[in-house]
Amino acid sequence: MLTDKKRLAYLAGWLSMIINTALFGLKFWIGVRIDSVSMVADSWDTFFDILISGVAIIGLRIMFKPADESHPFGHERAESISAIVVSVLLAIVGGGFLVESIKRLIYQQSTTFSVLAITIFASSAVIKEGLAQFTFWVGKTIDSQSVIANGWNYRSDAITTLLS
């Protein structure tokens, strides 16, 4: 039987996966249609958020397992490992954006704007910040560092999306 803590943790993970899947599809499709490199790149960052949420859900699933003969003190370390994996994936994605940004500056690539792109970016930033706020709340409520790390991921996504 799932406790309230488990339900809330899984709700945050699955809600994140659903929202990020919708955002990935929308940003990728619109980005390709309007030939926006930054929107397509941002869509791939959102795709990684789906994977990160999957890692967090797996970590929580392992963490919530009861103690057994091999793990007499439980499986709670899985949550720490999950938080580290989320942090490393976030650093990799951030590093990729840094490299791409430097390349654009070096090669002086111009950027084109459209009302549709600005609307998608602004909406995505608001949604990601809302998801960050919800995830922070869940993480604090259930005392989960991996969930809080995911919240920071969404906060950084909201900021980078606004800067796109």
Side-chain angles (χ1 to χ4, degrees):
M1 180 169 184
L2 290 178
T3 64
D4 289 341
K5 182 177 177 178
K6 290 179 186 178
R7 281 192 190 117
L8 202 51
Y10 287 132
L11 173 65
W14 286 106
L15 184 64
S16 166
M17 288 186 83
I18 292 166
I19 289 171
N20 283 312
T21 299
L23 284 174
F24 167 73
L26 179 67
K27 288 191 278 189
F28 185 80
W29 181 64
I30 297 293
V32 168
R33 275 193 93 196
I34 66 173
D35 197 29
S36 171
V37 174
S38 62
M39 189 172 294
V40 171
D42 194 46
S43 75
W44 284 110
D45 175 56
T46 303
F47 178 78
F48 279 104
D49 291 339
I50 299 165
L51 298 178
I52 289 169
S53 294
V55 167
I57 289 171
I58 291 167
L60 289 167
R61 181 171 288 173
I62 293 168
M63 181 187 91
F64 289 136
K65 284 183 177 181
D68 57 30
E69 195 172 297
S70 299
H71 305 90
F73 299 106
H75 296 83
E76 291 190 13
R77 286 189 183 169
E79 201 232 353
S80 298
I81 294 168
S82 176
I84 291 168
V85 170
V86 167
S87 299
V88 168
L89 289 173
L90 180 58
I92 290 169
V93 170
F97 275 123
L98 177 64
V99 168
E100 186 62 31
S101 297
I102 291 170
K103 283 181 186 176
R104 288 183 189 191
L105 288 172
I106 290 171
Y107 296 113
Q108 299 177 356
Q109 291 178 322
S110 63
T111 305
T112 57
F113 294 98
S114 73
V115 174
L116 180 59
I118 292 169
T119 303
I120 297 294
F121 280 131
S123 299
S124 179
V126 169
I127 290 168
K128 287 287 192 158
E129 180 56 29
L131 190 56
Q133 292 294 323
F134 176 70
T135 306
F136 286 140
W137 175 79
V138 169
K140 289 175 186 171
T141 301
I142 67 171
D143 192 28
S144 170
Q145 292 304 308
S146 66
V147 173
I148 291 171
N150 233 356
W152 282 109
N153 179 25
Y154 304 138
R155 165 76 48 81
S156 70
D157 287 346
I159 293 168
T160 57
T161 296
L162 284 176
L163 297 176
S164 296

